[in-house]
Amino acid sequence: MSDAADALDQLLAIMARLRDPKSGCPWDLAQNFSSIVPHTIEEAYEVADAIEAGDMQALVGELGDLMFQVVFYAQMASEVGDFAMTDVLDAINNKMIERHPHVFSSVEINSAAAQTVAWESQKATERAKLAAAAGRAPSALDGVISALPALARADKLQKRAARIGFDWRNAAEVTAKVEEELAEIRAELDGEARPQAIDEEIGDLLFSVTNLARHLHIEPEGALRRANAKFERRFRRVEAILRAQGIDPTDAGIDRMEDAWNQVKAEERN
């Protein structure tokens, strides 16, 4: 048996011990599928954060934490006889073999682009089977789960619609749409400023900006993460500058904070 298999067996044994009704951990025993979901999502984002930071040492730990989530679900399922870790592994093994016929059978695919087409075709076939089993017509949007972060889901919905031709022709057209949505927000603010209408227009604007990112080959979730990180870095520096001047940031006022913000930007340029 390989070292990886031995380590997985040890992790499975640890998880079983944690869930032992008599000698296990009270917190682990109190969990269920629903209560673990937020932790799984958080661990996935911590993996992304480690990758974004280029911290390979942190990534090792975060990937372990994410794997532990999978083992946790499998253990809980095995306790009630639904499935076990072996079923999870068999499922992903079979799926990868089925989706890579050019590797595991005689089908020939000679480029990454062709592989992407074949991959999507295979997934579309799988979605069509699920739709037929549910007694409904398939949709290009099937399988875009509602639990995705809204920005990531918007990007995925747009990509799915684009595959069957529902898309802007170029980025310039999308830019015009972004400007149109901004104009609609301005018109609403200049008029009645109805909260529900503004909410809808803001949503349309965000959806259009996501579309623009897609047309410019920018992954919007990653772009926004980087923008968040930049804002956090700059704002913390603003606070430090104000404190160095003997000013409590909460009492600084917008003019002083703006001056400090511009100083930070100038520092970064230099």
Side-chain angles (χ1 to χ4, degrees), residues 184-207:
E184 291 179 2
I185 292 172
R186 293 192 190 99
E188 189 61 41
L189 292 174
D190 290 340
E192 297 180 39
R194 298 165 298 173
Q196 184 175 349
I198 293 173
D199 179 278
E200 183 175 343
E201 297 300 346
I202 289 291
D204 290 345
L205 175 62
L206 292 170
F207 195 83

Side-chain angles (χ1 to χ4, degrees), residues 123 127-128 130-131 136-145 157 160:
K123 290 199 292 185
R127 290 193 294 268
L130 290 173
R136 60 173 177 79
S139 167
L141 304 182
D142 284 346
V144 183
I145 60 173
L157 288 169
R160 286 287 189 84

Side-chain angles (χ1 to χ4, degrees), residues 211-220:
N211 229 330
L212 179 59
R214 180 174 60 86
H215 273 265
L216 296 174
H217 308 293
I218 301 296
E219 196 274 303

Side-chain angles (χ1 to χ4, degrees), residues 47-212:
V47 167
D49 190 61
I51 293 172
E52 192 79 26
D55 190 339
M56 292 298 104
Q57 184 174 355
L59 181 58
V60 171
E62 299 303 345
L63 287 172
D65 291 343
L66 186 58
M67 180 176 290
F68 183 74
Q69 298 296 304
V70 178
V71 171
F72 209 140
Y73 289 117
Q75 174 63 32
M76 289 188 292
S78 69
E79 292 168 2
V80 293
D82 284 340
F83 60 83
M85 191 65 188
T86 301
D87 300 303
V88 174
L89 295 171
D90 285 344
I92 189 60
N93 287 341
N94 292 335
K95 182 184 290 186
M96 289 301 100
I97 291 171
E98 289 173 1
R99 290 185 177 178
H100 294 83
H102 57 296
V103 175
F104 299 104
S105 70
S106 58
V107 175
E108 289 190 13
I109 297 178
N110 299 315
S111 70
Q115 166 56 19
T116 298
V117 172
W119 178 275
E120 293 301 335
S121 176
Q122 174 67 26
K123 290 199 292 185
T125 299
E126 293 170 6
R127 290 193 294 268
K129 289 180 180 178
L130 290 173
R136 60 173 177 79
S139 167
L141 304 182
D142 284 346
V144 183
I145 60 173
S146 59
L148 281 172
L151 186 62
R153 189 165 193 264
D155 183 53
K156 202 170 186 70
L157 288 169
Q158 292 166 6
K159 287 176 178 176
R160 286 287 189 84
R163 283 181 198 147
I164 60 171
F166 191 74
D167 198 9
W168 300 99
R169 285 181 288 267
N170 52 57
E173 290 185 346
V174 190
T175 300
K177 182 63 176 175
V178 170
E179 292 168 349
E180 177 189 322
E181 298 298 349
L182 272 172
E184 291 179 2
I185 292 172
R186 293 192 190 99
E188 189 61 41
L189 292 174
D190 290 340
E192 297 180 39
R194 298 165 298 173
Q196 184 175 349
I198 293 173
D199 179 278
E200 183 175 343
E201 297 300 346
I202 289 291
D204 290 345
L205 175 62
L206 292 170
F207 195 83
S208 296
V209 170
T210 303
N211 229 330
L212 179 59

